[in-house]
Amino acid sequence: MTGIPSFTGDASPYGGGDPYADYRTADFPFTGLVDLADRRLGAGVIAANDEFFAERENMLKPEPAEFDPEHFGHKGKIMDGWETRRRRGASAVEPHPADDDHDWALVRLGAPGVVRGIVVDTAHFRGNYPQAVSVEATSVAGSPSPEQLLSDDVEWTTLVPRTAIGGHAANGFAVDTERRFTHLRVKQHPDGGIARLRVYGEVAPDPAWLAVLGTFDVVALENGGRVEDASDRFYSPATNTIQPGRSRKMDDGWETRRRRDKGNDWIRYQLAEQSAIRAVEIDTAYLKGNSAGWAALSVRDGEGGDWTEVLPRTRLQPDTNHRFVLPEPAVGTHVRIDIYPDGGISRLRLFGSLTDEGAKRLTARHDELN
């Protein structure tokens, strides 16, 4: 966790106006990676020992936590996060919680992967945040129940040791554990509230599953594809283009600012592994007056390979899913989509299969991480 800014202590009581005006945050080096705990990938908070004031599921909402100073219910202030009741000691003589008292929540990652960084966000929890947090991870195949995960047979690896955190702050932790995980156990010591949990890393798909599928989307986040770079992220992240499902609103895709030069915008992707691409979908759903005018697709094999155009510059229609069958399979490890001159697309789908070499490398990597 060297070099990662840390926050401790209470934030000031809310005094009116913009509740984020005194929010404490920083630029963390890992936040450009995939959020493995994204609900859109299938993540969920499957159990918690206590959620008296606010439901555990709130932690994985994709949008920032909201604050309504007048929002109260029968149990008290309603917070946009996961909040437990106040712990008490064993007796009047010992009224304080014991040192090892804590609340916990089990999180199923949306896609198994290697965790590079975690943000425990206590936005709006100014005096009711946990004193400290810790995070553990495990890898369990299939769809284990909470009871199975909590059994003595499951081995947990500490990603974030018990660490003091601050209220109304983005508490970030770098992780350096080269293993593939499927579930997290988040602990707050001794009690309190967490607004949001973000788990940044790299998807590590199961090569046996991909082999059974045969043809699949080789650039999809859930299958191990990722965005390497993009020319512009002004309105929305380029990673949106490889999220599951179709876009449901304009900002669920990728849109760039308006260009005032003669250049063009682009995204560069790394595929799940070396693949043979046979069909392409470029979707502009919900992008009507701001969709890209034209698009072209290029493929290269390896980091130092040359780019080969496999889909020439083609006119795009607004709010439309465009499908193209390639005349012959395009083999490579990386893909670049160029849009002209600017605008946006909502999704990119590249249907194909792993080559023998790609499947071999992916299996070796999977074995190494496990």
Side-chain angles (χ1 to χ4, degrees), residues 264-267 292 294-298 313 336-340:
N264 72 282
D265 289 314
W266 50 267
I267 306 175
W294 293 262
L297 199 73
S298 301
R313 194 178 303 191
R336 188 185 73 234
I337 187 168
D338 287 274
I339 63 170
Y340 301 89

Side-chain angles (χ1 to χ4, degrees), residues 35-54:
D35 180 6
L36 300 174
D38 193 323
R39 285 285 304 175
R40 291 172 293 182
L41 284 175
V45 187
I46 62 174
N49 71 305
D50 187 297
E51 47 188 332
F52 185 85
F53 287 114

Side-chain angles (χ1 to χ4, degrees), residues 138-159:
T138 190
S139 182
V140 179
S143 304
S145 67
E147 292 75 20
Q148 289 173 308
L149 289 170
L150 294 172
S151 71
D152 294 336
D153 298 333
V154 174
E155 176 187 348
W156 292 89
T157 299
T158 298
L159 301 186

Side-chain angles (χ1 to χ4, degrees), residues 85-105:
R85 72 194 78 198
R86 299 187 187 218
R87 283 184 171 268
R88 296 292 183 248
S91 66
V93 178
E94 298 179 352
H96 302 290
D99 288 343
D100 60 351
D101 281 353
H102 65 272
D103 293 318
W104 55 263

Side-chain angles (χ1 to χ4, degrees), residues 71-227:
H71 196 192
F72 286 84
H74 292 294
K75 294 181 180 179
K77 182 74 184 73
I78 296 176
M79 297 293 290
D80 186 10
W82 168 48
E83 186 179 8
T84 66
R85 72 194 78 198
R86 299 187 187 218
R87 283 184 171 268
R88 296 292 183 248
S91 66
V93 178
E94 298 179 352
H96 302 290
D99 288 343
D100 60 351
D101 281 353
H102 65 272
D103 293 318
W104 55 263
L106 296 177
V107 177
R108 178 190 65 245
L109 297 179
V114 181
V115 179
R116 302 299 186 190
I118 295 173
V119 174
V120 178
D121 190 346
T122 57
H124 317 303
F125 287 90
R126 296 169 176 269
N128 52 346
Y129 60 95
Q131 181 183 33
V133 296
S134 59
V135 182
E136 300 164 310
T138 190
S139 182
V140 179
S143 304
S145 67
E147 292 75 20
Q148 289 173 308
L149 289 170
L150 294 172
S151 71
D152 294 336
D153 298 333
V154 174
E155 176 187 348
W156 292 89
T157 299
T158 298
L159 301 186
V160 179
R162 182 170 175 170
T163 306
I165 63 170
H168 197 43
N171 300 277
F173 306 92
V175 177
D176 186 19
T177 303
E178 202 70 17
R179 288 183 58 189
R180 177 182 186 267
F181 295 112
T182 61
H183 295 77
L184 300 186
R185 180 163 60 187
V186 180
K187 296 180 179 179
Q188 45 180 345
H189 309 265
D191 54 37
I194 296 171
R196 296 289 188 267
L197 176 72
R198 304 292 186 240
V199 184
Y200 297 100
E202 300 155 6
V203 175
D206 181 354
W209 174 254
L210 298 183
V212 169
L213 292 180
T215 296
F216 60 93
D217 183 358
V218 298
V219 76
L221 276 179
E222 58 191 320
N223 295 329
R226 65 186 180 91
V227 169

